[in-house]
Structures are given as structure tokens and as C-alpha cells.
Amino acid sequence: MRVLALDTSTSAVQAALVDLDDDELFLTAFRREVNARGHVERLAPFIEGCLADAGRTRADVDAVVSGVGPGPFTGLRVGMVTAAAFADGAGIPVYGVCSLDGIGGNTRGRALAATDARRKEIYWAVYDDGRREGEPQVCRPSELPETRADYAIGEGASKYAGELPMDAETEPVYPDLVKLVELAAPRLLAGAPSERLTPLYLRRPDAQPAAAPPAASA
Amino acid sequence: MKNDSAGDNAPVVMGIETSCDETGVGIVRGHELLADAVASSVDEHARFGGVVPEVASRAHLEAMVPTVQRALDDAGLTLGDLDGIAVTAGPGLAGALMVGVGAAKAYSIATGVPLYGVNHLSAHIAVDTLENGPIPEPAIGLLVSGGHSSIMMVEDLAGKVTQLGASIDDAAGEAFDKVARLLGLPFPGGPYIDRAAKEGDRAFVQFPRGLTAAKDMERHRYDFSFSGLKTAVARWIEARRAEGEDVPVNDVAAAFQEAVCDVLTRKAILAAKEHGVETVLLGGGVAANSRLRALATERAEAAGLTLRYPRPKLCTDNGAMVAALGSHLVAAGVAPSRIDFPANSSMDVEVVSLANRL
């Protein structure tokens, strides 16, 4: 089956077409641009570009897989709404995968996958031989709890290498779309029901309830 | 075929609107409204006393696909029946706009239906076609909402809309929200002030009419200012309280509302007369205000002008208005937008649609 995979949880705007047959995965087209403010402009042309590169049309896509964060909200939402609307428009199912798993899922040993949460914070999770331990978190690099991770990887790791207690990959690594499809493969192959994608925000909106207005009489 | 978009062959267009706190999806066939699905996050904003952009954006993402599905169900159509998809590309809240624009692009790619990125303000004008049929051109549009207060000259709804004047500070709807808060009325303030004002005395106190003094009428002939009015109301309430007296909410609401409606209608009628235009349109959320409608009707009649406005539900933000503009663009043969157009929070008021350009 042919899967459209999208992730906009980091500054990389990413789209790919991945063929999934039994447990074989094959990347047939891939577009990526590191452009933290370009999600809404770049993503749709990337989908069209991937289809053209692979010599396919929209009718050839059987399912959509989307990273659901955590990630900076505005860009993350663009990818998720694109995935949900494309799937709805094409009448095919959509499945969500934690974007950090697209980084940590490819690691060996104990690794910290970290992306840039802005405001001097990182989104992170710990992986043991590629398997995530617990839920993703957000905090300042200097405030990480004891993770026993041997190294850190991801955009958040390269950016904050100096503040992290473990070695960090100096090159930014972005969520691997083939990995996201692999993690969704059981659902894809089983024809699981389409999902309502829920972003991993990990933070509440910044807003203070208004002070009570002064009383007035009628 | 300009303006000839009634009938069975008229373009069927779905419009998506997410510029503020309403997730709107409307479907029209020419001037016929087929569906108007709106999911509002207004209740979530009420406790903050105003629209919180991040709260609005989160609600848009949740509501987007279900609202599209609801609109299609209501219209009894499928995406394959559409001749176009139109979406508000701006102006509005950046993060909120991006949800609608992202969705519209994806629906367009997934279905092959042409996409039109359109201007929110022109859509507020176009929605009147759903109520009153083709708009005679030229027309003057008085657009008043929580985000905008503008007088527009509509020479061609498919491409030539110019702004004659606008608020130099707060939008009229913003002033309603702020004064409602001063009076202890809920958010959004417009409907509550309108209701309270019905029981009040419009002439109870004469609040200032911004930018109507002789020298302002030279420099800001068609512009508005509502920030001073809001301050004047606040001072009046303070002074009243300092004297230990009660604040008569209904009377203050009526007097404030009168000041806003007086300036809005006075300048819109003036613009029509001075430009030799015979039709004036009201649009935007504040156009749902009963006093604005009454005063505009009275003054248009006195000036021998035709006044048009849609029903209140079409005045506030919705997808039907975007669909109405989209259908007009398709009928007029305007080219679809490029797939890489941005969401533009400060989109120029004079750009009706992003036809083949950025």
C-alpha cells in the first residue's frame, strides 16, 4: 500500500510517499525544507511534488500517516490539518504517530530524543534500543531529570548540546518519515479505523483569565 | 458572465473561514446558500475577556474536518460536486488562518478541485449576494467587526475593491467588547450592549463622535476612531462611581451604541453621496447590531440610497461568505490561486483573491 507521510513538528517541513508491503518499507519520494515559518506555504507543494516524483496521482494514495508532535504549535497544526483534510478528501484513513518516535525509534542503546520547543525548552523522550519509555515531556535542557541516556539526538539536542548532561549529536536530526510509517504499520496493514488526530501540545495556551469586571447596576 | 451566477449552472463552491474564533464551512451554488456550518470557540474565550489566539487555533484544528463533513451533509453534496474551494487567506490571526489554509490546500490536492485564497473583508461584502442577489456595482461597503471598521468602494467584487477609510485605532466591535466589560456585561459585548440599549435612553449622555470635527473631516474624512470613545465611557463611569451613584447600564449602553452607529452611518452615507454611489452594504459582525441597521436604513432613505444587509447570522464570521465570494470569482473566470500561497495576517484590504500570485 502507498502511504503519504507528513511531519511538521520541527523546523523541517517534510512529506514523503512510502510503499508498505507486508513488512517491507520503501521510500519512493521525499521532500524536506528546513524552514520554521514555511509550513503552510511549503507542505502542499511538497505533497504534489512527491506524487509527481513517484509518477503517482492522488488516487494512488491508500493512507496517510502524520506526526502528531510534540512540536511548536502553529507549524505542527499545519501538518496535522493537512493530513486529516487530505485523508478526508481522498476518502482514506489517517493515523497519528508521536513525532519524537521518528527520531528515537531509530536509536540504539539509551538515547534522549529532543526537539526544539522554543522558549529555551526542549520536547524530549528517552528511548531504550529504539523503544520509548514513558510519555514525551517538555522542559529546559538544564532541568532534565536523570535519564541515564548515553547520548542525545534531534534538533533540540544539537541546539542545546552545551546545556545537556550527555553527549549530543551536533547535526540536527529530524523525524524519519519511514520510521513513522513503520510504527503505524500494524494499523495500516490491519485496516484500522481512521483516527481523529490529537496534537501532543504538552503546554496549555498562554492566557490569563480576565479579572472580574467591576460591578455595575442595571 | 459577471454577476450572472444564479441558477442551476452557477458554480458550487465550499468556503472555509478560520480567521478568528469561528470555524466556518459554507457551501453555495451561485447566490444560493446550501450549507452554513459554524463551530465557535467563543465560550472558551469568554473567561479570558477576549479571543485568545492559541485557544482559537486549537479549536480550529479539532473542528476543521468535522465541520467540513457537516457542511457537505447539510448540502447533500460530496467534495466531487464542488467547482471550487475558497479559503480566507487573510487578514486575521496568523495561527488560526493557517489551519483553514492548510486544510483547504489539502482538500484541493486530494480532490483536484481548484483553490481560491480570498480576502476576509471582501467575503463580508460578498455574503450579501446570498440574501439580496447580485451586488450593483459600484457599491459602498461599510464593514464593521471585532477586527475591522472600514468603508470600502466596490467597483468589481471579483477584483477591484478599494478602501476609502478605516479605523485608525480600535475596531468598532472591539469598542463594544471593552465597553461591555466596563458595564459588567459578558463577552462578546455586541449582542449584550444591543439588548441593554433597547431599554436605555440614547440621549442620556452625549459621548464623543471620533474624527467628525471639521479639521478631522479634512484629514480623516472616511476614517474612524473608537479609542477615545471607549475612554470617555470609562471616565464617565468612574466619575459617576466617585460620586457614589449607580451606573445606569442600559442608558450608558444606549448612548455609547448611538455614538458608534452615528459616526459609522454618517460617514458611510457621506462616502456614497460624494462618490456618486447609490448602494450601501453593511457587513461584519457589528452589522448585526439592530441600532446600526435602523439608523443606516433611516439615513439611506433620507439620502435616496439603497441599503442592503444580510441576516445577522451571515454578518458574523462564517464559511458561507467565503463560499459566496469564491463562487463569484469562479463565475467571473478569475484564475485559481497557486498552491504555495501563504496565510497573510495583514493581507491588504484591496487584494480580493490571490489569483496566480503571492
Tab-separated table of all heavy atoms in Angstrom, chain A residues 40-41 44-45 48 58 73-74 77 81-82 84-86 88-90 196 199 201 203 205 207-211 213 215-217, chain B residues 47-48 52 54 57-58 61-62 65-66 69 79 98-99 103 105-107 109-112 181 183 241 246-247 249 339-340 342:
chain	number	residue	atom	x	y	z
A	40	VAL	N	2.954	26.346	6.025
A	40	VAL	CA	1.710	26.438	5.258
A	40	VAL	C	1.984	26.696	3.775
A	40	VAL	O	1.207	26.316	2.912
A	40	VAL	CB	0.746	27.478	5.872
A	40	VAL	CG1	1.025	28.886	5.373
A	40	VAL	CG2	-0.706	27.100	5.569
A	41	GLU	N	3.126	27.319	3.461
A	41	GLU	CA	3.474	27.542	2.060
A	41	GLU	C	4.057	26.287	1.421
A	41	GLU	O	3.758	25.965	0.286
A	41	GLU	CB	4.525	28.666	1.918
A	41	GLU	CG	4.014	30.057	2.182
A	41	GLU	CD	4.206	30.474	3.623
A	41	GLU	OE1	4.217	29.584	4.503
A	41	GLU	OE2	4.341	31.683	3.886
A	44	ALA	N	1.961	21.733	1.077
A	44	ALA	CA	1.075	21.264	-0.007
A	44	ALA	C	1.853	21.062	-1.315
A	44	ALA	O	1.697	20.027	-1.977
A	44	ALA	CB	-0.095	22.233	-0.188
A	45	PRO	N	2.718	22.016	-1.707
A	45	PRO	CA	3.528	21.763	-2.906
A	45	PRO	C	4.419	20.523	-2.756
A	45	PRO	O	4.674	19.825	-3.747
A	45	PRO	CB	4.386	23.026	-3.035
A	45	PRO	CG	3.620	24.087	-2.329
A	45	PRO	CD	2.892	23.393	-1.208
A	48	GLU	N	2.356	17.502	-3.632
A	48	GLU	CA	2.228	17.412	-5.091
A	48	GLU	C	3.547	16.962	-5.720
A	48	GLU	O	3.557	16.154	-6.649
A	48	GLU	CB	1.818	18.770	-5.667
A	48	GLU	CG	0.388	19.136	-5.347
A	48	GLU	CD	-0.105	20.349	-6.136
A	48	GLU	OE1	0.703	21.275	-6.381
A	48	GLU	OE2	-1.284	20.358	-6.493
A	58	ARG	N	-3.078	11.488	-6.848
A	58	ARG	CA	-3.689	11.456	-5.512
A	58	ARG	C	-4.511	10.194	-5.309
A	58	ARG	O	-4.652	9.707	-4.202
A	58	ARG	CB	-4.559	12.705	-5.316
A	58	ARG	CG	-5.642	12.837	-6.372
A	58	ARG	CD	-6.460	14.092	-6.204
A	58	ARG	NE	-7.544	14.124	-7.166
A	58	ARG	CZ	-7.457	14.667	-8.364
A	58	ARG	NH1	-6.327	15.236	-8.749
A	58	ARG	NH2	-8.494	14.653	-9.182
A	73	PHE	N	3.424	24.796	18.108
A	73	PHE	CA	2.018	24.564	17.794
A	73	PHE	C	1.600	24.909	16.362
A	73	PHE	O	0.899	24.142	15.715
A	73	PHE	CB	1.113	25.344	18.751
A	73	PHE	CG	1.421	25.130	20.203
A	73	PHE	CD1	1.118	26.109	21.130
A	73	PHE	CD2	2.002	23.944	20.650
A	73	PHE	CE1	1.385	25.925	22.482
A	73	PHE	CE2	2.273	23.749	21.995
A	73	PHE	CZ	1.966	24.745	22.911
A	74	THR	N	1.988	26.096	15.923
A	74	THR	CA	1.437	26.574	14.657
A	74	THR	C	1.849	25.690	13.490
A	74	THR	O	1.026	25.277	12.676
A	74	THR	CB	1.841	28.032	14.415
A	74	THR	OG1	1.329	28.821	15.487
A	74	THR	CG2	1.266	28.568	13.112
A	77	ARG	N	0.261	22.155	13.724
A	77	ARG	CA	-1.141	22.101	13.295
A	77	ARG	C	-1.273	22.069	11.775
A	77	ARG	O	-2.179	21.431	11.241
A	77	ARG	CB	-1.916	23.301	13.853
A	77	ARG	CG	-2.427	23.090	15.254
A	77	ARG	CD	-3.380	24.192	15.653
A	77	ARG	NE	-2.687	25.438	15.901
A	77	ARG	CZ	-2.310	25.854	17.115
A	77	ARG	NH1	-2.572	25.127	18.179
A	77	ARG	NH2	-1.672	26.996	17.258
A	81	VAL	N	-3.501	19.208	10.167
A	81	VAL	CA	-4.756	19.516	9.476
A	81	VAL	C	-4.637	19.120	8.001
A	81	VAL	O	-5.611	18.698	7.372
A	81	VAL	CB	-5.167	21.000	9.649
A	81	VAL	CG1	-4.485	21.917	8.640
A	81	VAL	CG2	-6.689	21.143	9.522
A	82	THR	N	-3.421	19.220	7.472
A	82	THR	CA	-3.195	18.797	6.094
A	82	THR	C	-3.420	17.291	5.968
A	82	THR	O	-4.092	16.820	5.045
A	82	THR	CB	-1.769	19.170	5.648
A	82	THR	OG1	-1.612	20.595	5.729
A	82	THR	CG2	-1.494	18.719	4.217
A	84	ALA	N	-5.174	15.340	7.974
A	84	ALA	CA	-6.584	14.994	8.227
A	84	ALA	C	-7.460	15.370	7.032
A	84	ALA	O	-8.341	14.609	6.630
A	84	ALA	CB	-7.075	15.704	9.489
A	85	ALA	N	-7.216	16.545	6.454
A	85	ALA	CA	-8.054	17.004	5.348
A	85	ALA	C	-7.751	16.220	4.074
A	85	ALA	O	-8.658	15.905	3.301
A	85	ALA	CB	-7.847	18.507	5.113
A	86	PHE	N	-6.478	15.908	3.839
A	86	PHE	CA	-6.147	15.110	2.653
A	86	PHE	C	-6.844	13.747	2.746
A	86	PHE	O	-7.455	13.271	1.782
A	86	PHE	CB	-4.630	14.923	2.518
A	86	PHE	CG	-4.231	14.226	1.237
A	86	PHE	CD1	-3.871	14.958	0.111
A	86	PHE	CD2	-4.245	12.834	1.146
A	86	PHE	CE1	-3.536	14.327	-1.078
A	86	PHE	CE2	-3.921	12.193	-0.038
A	86	PHE	CZ	-3.562	12.930	-1.156
A	88	ASP	N	-9.484	12.918	4.508
A	88	ASP	CA	-10.937	13.083	4.372
A	88	ASP	C	-11.302	13.320	2.907
A	88	ASP	O	-12.259	12.736	2.389
A	88	ASP	CB	-11.404	14.246	5.248
A	88	ASP	CG	-12.921	14.390	5.261
A	88	ASP	OD1	-13.609	13.356	5.365
A	88	ASP	OD2	-13.421	15.524	5.145
A	89	GLY	N	-10.519	14.170	2.251
A	89	GLY	CA	-10.801	14.495	0.857
A	89	GLY	C	-10.639	13.303	-0.068
A	89	GLY	O	-11.370	13.150	-1.049
A	90	ALA	N	-9.660	12.447	0.258
A	90	ALA	CA	-9.394	11.295	-0.600
A	90	ALA	C	-10.195	10.068	-0.166
A	90	ALA	O	-10.171	9.041	-0.852
A	90	ALA	CB	-7.898	10.970	-0.569
A	196	ARG	N	-8.945	10.363	14.715
A	196	ARG	CA	-9.035	11.800	14.881
A	196	ARG	C	-7.720	12.229	15.509
A	196	ARG	O	-7.432	11.869	16.643
A	196	ARG	CB	-10.199	12.125	15.804
A	196	ARG	CG	-10.951	13.306	15.278
A	196	ARG	CD	-12.257	13.468	15.964
A	196	ARG	NE	-12.454	14.901	16.139
A	196	ARG	CZ	-13.585	15.444	16.501
A	196	ARG	NH1	-14.608	14.679	16.771
A	196	ARG	NH2	-13.687	16.730	16.616
A	199	PRO	N	-3.077	16.560	18.725
A	199	PRO	CA	-1.689	17.008	18.880
A	199	PRO	C	-1.182	16.785	20.299
A	199	PRO	O	-1.949	16.878	21.262
A	199	PRO	CB	-1.748	18.513	18.600
A	199	PRO	CG	-3.131	18.808	18.143
A	199	PRO	CD	-4.009	17.671	18.551
A	201	TYR	N	0.432	18.662	22.636
A	201	TYR	CA	0.839	20.052	22.890
A	201	TYR	C	1.797	20.135	24.087
A	201	TYR	O	2.742	20.905	24.091
A	201	TYR	CB	-0.389	20.914	23.172
A	201	TYR	CG	-1.239	21.239	21.968
A	201	TYR	CD1	-2.584	20.892	21.934
A	201	TYR	CD2	-0.709	21.927	20.886
A	201	TYR	CE1	-3.386	21.226	20.851
A	201	TYR	CE2	-1.502	22.250	19.794
A	201	TYR	CZ	-2.843	21.896	19.782
A	201	TYR	OH	-3.633	22.230	18.716
A	203	ARG	N	1.715	21.723	26.561
A	203	ARG	CA	1.642	23.008	27.267
A	203	ARG	C	0.236	23.551	27.093
A	203	ARG	O	-0.370	23.366	26.049
A	203	ARG	CB	2.571	24.055	26.645
A	203	ARG	CG	4.032	23.936	26.948
A	203	ARG	CD	4.703	25.154	26.317
A	203	ARG	NE	6.153	25.076	26.340
A	203	ARG	CZ	6.926	25.367	25.294
A	203	ARG	NH1	6.379	25.713	24.145
A	203	ARG	NH2	8.232	25.300	25.401
A	205	PRO	N	-2.408	26.756	26.584
A	205	PRO	CA	-2.294	28.070	25.926
A	205	PRO	C	-1.888	29.130	26.945
A	205	PRO	O	-2.282	29.050	28.102
A	205	PRO	CB	-3.718	28.347	25.426
A	205	PRO	CG	-4.440	27.057	25.486
A	205	PRO	CD	-3.768	26.225	26.547
A	207	ALA	N	-2.596	32.192	28.508
A	207	ALA	CA	-3.660	33.179	28.647
A	207	ALA	C	-4.087	33.207	30.100
A	207	ALA	O	-4.173	32.171	30.756
A	207	ALA	CB	-4.849	32.831	27.757
A	208	GLN	N	-4.311	34.372	30.608
A	208	GLN	CA	-4.793	34.541	31.969
A	208	GLN	C	-6.276	34.878	31.912
A	208	GLN	O	-6.675	35.745	31.153
A	208	GLN	CB	-4.052	35.696	32.652
A	208	GLN	CG	-2.573	35.427	32.862
A	208	GLN	CD	-2.329	34.217	33.738
A	208	GLN	OE1	-3.013	34.031	34.742
A	208	GLN	NE2	-1.379	33.383	33.354
A	209	PRO	N	-7.083	34.187	32.723
A	209	PRO	CA	-8.490	34.589	32.767
A	209	PRO	C	-8.587	36.068	33.148
A	209	PRO	O	-7.779	36.573	33.927
A	209	PRO	CB	-9.071	33.704	33.868
A	209	PRO	CG	-8.158	32.525	33.916
A	209	PRO	CD	-6.795	33.042	33.570
A	210	ALA	N	-9.563	36.762	32.551
A	210	ALA	CA	-9.736	38.179	32.833
A	210	ALA	C	-10.148	38.371	34.287
A	210	ALA	O	-10.841	37.544	34.861
A	210	ALA	CB	-10.801	38.746	31.905
A	211	ALA	N	-9.697	39.480	34.874
A	211	ALA	CA	-10.147	39.819	36.221
A	211	ALA	C	-11.643	40.079	36.158
A	211	ALA	O	-12.162	40.483	35.131
A	211	ALA	CB	-9.420	41.066	36.706
A	213	PRO	N	-14.984	41.775	36.059
A	213	PRO	CA	-15.284	43.171	35.737
A	213	PRO	C	-15.908	43.870	36.933
A	213	PRO	O	-16.512	43.217	37.779
A	213	PRO	CB	-16.281	43.056	34.579
A	213	PRO	CG	-16.859	41.693	34.690
A	213	PRO	CD	-15.827	40.830	35.359
A	215	ALA	N	-18.446	45.712	39.207
A	215	ALA	CA	-19.904	45.556	39.246
A	215	ALA	C	-20.589	46.834	38.791
A	215	ALA	O	-20.091	47.928	38.996
A	215	ALA	CB	-20.347	45.211	40.666
A	216	ALA	N	-21.672	46.691	38.103
A	216	ALA	CA	-22.461	47.859	37.710
A	216	ALA	C	-23.922	47.498	37.914
A	216	ALA	O	-24.281	46.325	37.876
A	216	ALA	CB	-22.207	48.210	36.246
A	217	SER	N	-24.721	48.475	38.139
A	217	SER	CA	-26.138	48.172	38.353
A	217	SER	C	-26.926	48.413	37.078
A	217	SER	O	-26.483	49.142	36.211
A	217	SER	CB	-26.680	49.064	39.471
A	217	SER	OG	-26.597	50.407	39.045
B	47	ARG	N	-14.055	33.526	29.305
B	47	ARG	CA	-13.447	33.757	30.616
B	47	ARG	C	-12.151	34.547	30.533
B	47	ARG	O	-11.624	35.021	31.533
B	47	ARG	CB	-13.229	32.439	31.363
B	47	ARG	CG	-12.151	31.567	30.794
B	47	ARG	CD	-12.256	30.153	31.361
B	47	ARG	NE	-11.238	29.286	30.806
B	47	ARG	CZ	-10.111	28.993	31.422
B	47	ARG	NH1	-9.836	29.498	32.604
B	47	ARG	NH2	-9.232	28.188	30.852
B	48	PHE	N	-11.615	34.685	29.298
B	48	PHE	CA	-10.408	35.494	29.131
B	48	PHE	C	-10.763	36.928	28.739
B	48	PHE	O	-9.892	37.770	28.602
B	48	PHE	CB	-9.478	34.894	28.070
B	48	PHE	CG	-9.022	33.502	28.407
B	48	PHE	CD1	-9.485	32.408	27.695
B	48	PHE	CD2	-8.137	33.292	29.444
B	48	PHE	CE1	-9.064	31.127	28.006
B	48	PHE	CE2	-7.716	32.013	29.768
B	48	PHE	CZ	-8.186	30.928	29.041
B	52	VAL	N	-8.447	34.449	22.574
B	52	VAL	CA	-7.062	34.035	22.798
B	52	VAL	C	-6.613	33.260	21.560
B	52	VAL	O	-7.165	32.192	21.274
B	52	VAL	CB	-6.943	33.146	24.051
B	52	VAL	CG1	-5.497	32.737	24.282
B	52	VAL	CG2	-7.510	33.850	25.265
B	54	GLU	N	-4.217	31.253	20.635
B	54	GLU	CA	-3.850	29.840	20.725
B	54	GLU	C	-5.081	28.968	21.017
B	54	GLU	O	-5.206	27.861	20.486
B	54	GLU	CB	-2.764	29.643	21.798
B	54	GLU	CG	-2.345	28.199	22.058
B	54	GLU	CD	-1.797	27.464	20.833
B	54	GLU	OE1	-1.357	28.124	19.868
B	54	GLU	OE2	-1.827	26.217	20.833
B	57	SER	N	-6.895	28.650	17.708
B	57	SER	CA	-6.215	27.765	16.758
B	57	SER	C	-6.426	26.300	17.119
B	57	SER	O	-6.636	25.455	16.253
B	57	SER	CB	-4.716	28.069	16.732
B	57	SER	OG	-4.500	29.392	16.308
B	58	ARG	N	-6.366	25.995	18.405
B	58	ARG	CA	-6.576	24.610	18.843
B	58	ARG	C	-7.997	24.152	18.491
B	58	ARG	O	-8.211	23.036	18.025
B	58	ARG	CB	-6.339	24.480	20.349
B	58	ARG	CG	-4.878	24.629	20.709
B	58	ARG	CD	-4.610	24.407	22.188
B	58	ARG	NE	-3.184	24.566	22.446
B	58	ARG	CZ	-2.559	24.145	23.520
B	58	ARG	NH1	-3.233	23.532	24.475
B	58	ARG	NH2	-1.257	24.325	23.660
B	61	LEU	N	-8.372	23.356	14.734
B	61	LEU	CA	-7.840	22.058	14.319
B	61	LEU	C	-8.816	20.941	14.668
B	61	LEU	O	-9.078	20.051	13.855
B	61	LEU	CB	-6.479	21.793	14.990
B	61	LEU	CG	-5.854	20.434	14.663
B	61	LEU	CD1	-5.573	20.307	13.172
B	61	LEU	CD2	-4.569	20.220	15.460
B	62	GLU	N	-9.387	21.013	15.869
B	62	GLU	CA	-10.345	19.974	16.272
B	62	GLU	C	-11.593	19.987	15.404
B	62	GLU	O	-12.153	18.944	15.080
B	62	GLU	CB	-10.785	20.219	17.722
B	62	GLU	CG	-9.956	19.502	18.742
B	62	GLU	CD	-10.487	19.784	20.140
B	62	GLU	OE1	-11.705	19.623	20.364
B	62	GLU	OE2	-9.680	20.187	21.000
B	65	VAL	N	-12.174	19.243	10.131
B	65	VAL	CA	-12.720	18.170	9.287
B	65	VAL	C	-14.188	17.877	9.634
B	65	VAL	O	-15.025	17.767	8.729
B	65	VAL	CB	-11.832	16.907	9.356
B	65	VAL	CG1	-12.529	15.708	8.730
B	65	VAL	CG2	-10.500	17.181	8.642
B	66	PRO	N	-14.550	17.794	10.925
B	66	PRO	CA	-15.964	17.563	11.231
B	66	PRO	C	-16.881	18.658	10.677
B	66	PRO	O	-18.010	18.371	10.259
B	66	PRO	CB	-16.006	17.551	12.767
B	66	PRO	CG	-14.628	17.157	13.176
B	66	PRO	CD	-13.701	17.715	12.130
B	69	GLN	N	-17.375	18.075	7.012
B	69	GLN	CA	-18.288	16.937	6.818
B	69	GLN	C	-19.731	17.341	7.080
B	69	GLN	O	-20.652	16.945	6.357
B	69	GLN	CB	-17.884	15.775	7.734
B	69	GLN	CG	-16.562	15.131	7.284
B	69	GLN	CD	-16.011	14.130	8.294
B	69	GLN	OE1	-16.391	14.143	9.471
B	69	GLN	NE2	-15.095	13.280	7.848
B	79	LEU	N	-17.513	16.130	-2.004
B	79	LEU	CA	-16.453	17.028	-2.467
B	79	LEU	C	-16.355	17.028	-3.992
B	79	LEU	O	-15.986	18.023	-4.601
B	79	LEU	CB	-15.108	16.624	-1.838
B	79	LEU	CG	-15.004	16.885	-0.325
B	79	LEU	CD1	-13.877	16.045	0.276
B	79	LEU	CD2	-14.754	18.368	-0.056
B	98	MET	N	-3.846	29.720	9.383
B	98	MET	CA	-3.063	28.614	8.820
B	98	MET	C	-3.784	27.284	8.892
B	98	MET	O	-3.560	26.408	8.056
B	98	MET	CB	-1.714	28.511	9.530
B	98	MET	CG	-0.740	29.543	9.015
B	98	MET	SD	0.880	29.242	9.713
B	98	MET	CE	1.419	30.923	9.921
B	99	VAL	N	-4.652	27.108	9.883
B	99	VAL	CA	-5.406	25.853	9.975
B	99	VAL	C	-6.358	25.743	8.783
B	99	VAL	O	-6.416	24.714	8.099
B	99	VAL	CB	-6.184	25.769	11.308
B	99	VAL	CG1	-7.029	24.506	11.344
B	99	VAL	CG2	-5.217	25.798	12.489
B	103	ALA	N	-5.923	23.193	5.564
B	103	ALA	CA	-6.999	22.247	5.259
B	103	ALA	C	-7.479	22.437	3.823
B	103	ALA	O	-7.654	21.464	3.081
B	103	ALA	CB	-8.160	22.449	6.238
B	105	LYS	N	-5.969	23.650	1.232
B	105	LYS	CA	-4.983	23.165	0.262
B	105	LYS	C	-5.035	21.638	0.169
B	105	LYS	O	-4.983	21.070	-0.925
B	105	LYS	CB	-3.578	23.616	0.671
B	105	LYS	CG	-3.338	25.105	0.466
B	105	LYS	CD	-1.911	25.480	0.877
B	105	LYS	CE	-1.633	26.948	0.558
B	105	LYS	NZ	-0.231	27.306	0.853
B	106	ALA	N	-5.134	20.990	1.317
B	106	ALA	CA	-5.142	19.530	1.324
B	106	ALA	C	-6.400	18.989	0.645
B	106	ALA	O	-6.333	18.024	-0.122
B	106	ALA	CB	-5.038	19.003	2.756
B	107	TYR	N	-7.548	19.618	0.927
B	107	TYR	CA	-8.779	19.184	0.252
B	107	TYR	C	-8.655	19.378	-1.257
B	107	TYR	O	-9.111	18.550	-2.047
B	107	TYR	CB	-9.995	19.953	0.782
B	107	TYR	CG	-10.587	19.359	2.039
B	107	TYR	CD1	-10.525	20.032	3.251
B	107	TYR	CD2	-11.205	18.109	2.007
B	107	TYR	CE1	-11.072	19.486	4.410
B	107	TYR	CE2	-11.751	17.552	3.151
B	107	TYR	CZ	-11.683	18.240	4.349
B	107	TYR	OH	-12.219	17.685	5.482
B	109	ILE	N	-5.850	19.422	-3.104
B	109	ILE	CA	-4.931	18.430	-3.688
B	109	ILE	C	-5.582	17.049	-3.734
B	109	ILE	O	-5.445	16.312	-4.706
B	109	ILE	CB	-3.632	18.314	-2.860
B	109	ILE	CG1	-2.891	19.633	-2.822
B	109	ILE	CG2	-2.718	17.257	-3.450
B	109	ILE	CD1	-1.667	19.552	-1.922
B	110	ALA	N	-6.312	16.718	-2.664
B	110	ALA	CA	-6.881	15.369	-2.577
B	110	ALA	C	-8.043	15.168	-3.547
B	110	ALA	O	-8.391	14.035	-3.865
B	110	ALA	CB	-7.349	15.087	-1.144
B	111	THR	N	-8.656	16.266	-3.990
B	111	THR	CA	-9.837	16.130	-4.844
B	111	THR	C	-9.636	16.686	-6.247
B	111	THR	O	-10.435	16.412	-7.138
B	111	THR	CB	-11.027	16.906	-4.226
B	111	THR	OG1	-10.623	18.273	-4.050
B	111	THR	CG2	-11.434	16.326	-2.896
B	112	GLY	N	-8.604	17.513	-6.438
B	112	GLY	CA	-8.389	18.154	-7.728
B	112	GLY	C	-9.294	19.357	-7.958
B	112	GLY	O	-9.324	19.921	-9.059
B	181	ARG	N	-17.408	45.236	28.971
B	181	ARG	CA	-16.647	44.845	30.146
B	181	ARG	C	-16.759	45.898	31.250
B	181	ARG	O	-16.940	45.569	32.422
B	181	ARG	CB	-15.182	44.671	29.743
B	181	ARG	CG	-14.512	43.513	30.443
B	181	ARG	CD	-13.158	43.260	29.874
B	181	ARG	NE	-12.131	43.494	30.898
B	181	ARG	CZ	-12.098	42.866	32.050
B	181	ARG	NH1	-13.012	41.983	32.374
B	181	ARG	NH2	-11.136	43.120	32.915
B	183	LEU	N	-19.167	47.769	31.753
B	183	LEU	CA	-20.530	47.743	32.273
B	183	LEU	C	-20.870	46.419	32.952
B	183	LEU	O	-21.999	46.209	33.388
B	183	LEU	CB	-21.525	48.005	31.135
B	183	LEU	CG	-21.495	49.425	30.532
B	183	LEU	CD1	-22.404	49.508	29.318
B	183	LEU	CD2	-21.906	50.461	31.577
B	241	ARG	N	-19.191	56.775	39.654
B	241	ARG	CA	-18.962	55.941	40.847
B	241	ARG	C	-18.341	56.771	41.967
B	241	ARG	O	-18.642	56.572	43.138
B	241	ARG	CB	-18.042	54.765	40.501
B	241	ARG	CG	-18.712	53.736	39.620
B	241	ARG	CD	-18.247	52.312	39.958
B	241	ARG	NE	-19.064	51.367	39.179
B	241	ARG	CZ	-18.664	50.826	38.033
B	241	ARG	NH1	-17.460	51.070	37.557
B	241	ARG	NH2	-19.464	50.010	37.376
B	246	ASP	N	-25.076	55.056	41.255
B	246	ASP	CA	-25.159	53.858	40.420
B	246	ASP	C	-24.898	54.209	38.959
B	246	ASP	O	-25.183	55.322	38.526
B	246	ASP	CB	-26.554	53.234	40.532
B	246	ASP	CG	-26.692	52.432	41.820
B	246	ASP	OD1	-25.649	52.207	42.475
B	246	ASP	OD2	-27.828	52.043	42.153
B	247	VAL	N	-24.383	53.215	38.226
B	247	VAL	CA	-24.182	53.403	36.786
B	247	VAL	C	-25.388	52.807	36.056
B	247	VAL	O	-25.644	51.611	36.171
B	247	VAL	CB	-22.884	52.708	36.326
B	247	VAL	CG1	-22.743	52.798	34.812
B	247	VAL	CG2	-21.682	53.327	37.022
B	249	VAL	N	-26.728	51.067	33.459
B	249	VAL	CA	-26.146	50.268	32.387
B	249	VAL	C	-26.873	50.451	31.060
B	249	VAL	O	-26.254	50.672	30.022
B	249	VAL	CB	-26.132	48.767	32.784
B	249	VAL	CG1	-25.740	47.895	31.600
B	249	VAL	CG2	-25.176	48.540	33.938
B	339	ILE	N	-0.779	26.944	-5.310
B	339	ILE	CA	-0.876	26.098	-4.115
B	339	ILE	C	0.080	26.554	-2.998
B	339	ILE	O	-0.080	26.193	-1.844
B	339	ILE	CB	-0.632	24.614	-4.487
B	339	ILE	CG1	-1.105	23.674	-3.377
B	339	ILE	CG2	0.824	24.368	-4.824
B	339	ILE	CD1	-2.589	23.562	-3.267
B	340	ASP	N	1.057	27.396	-3.335
B	340	ASP	CA	2.020	27.796	-2.302
B	340	ASP	C	1.704	29.160	-1.673
B	340	ASP	O	2.568	29.781	-1.073
B	340	ASP	CB	3.449	27.789	-2.860
B	340	ASP	CG	3.629	28.763	-4.014
B	340	ASP	OD1	2.613	29.280	-4.528
B	340	ASP	OD2	4.789	29.002	-4.403
B	342	PRO	N	0.639	31.960	0.950
B	342	PRO	CA	0.736	31.961	2.416
B	342	PRO	C	-0.587	32.372	3.070
B	342	PRO	O	-1.474	32.889	2.392
B	342	PRO	CB	1.788	33.038	2.688
B	342	PRO	CG	1.608	34.006	1.550
B	342	PRO	CD	1.163	33.202	0.353
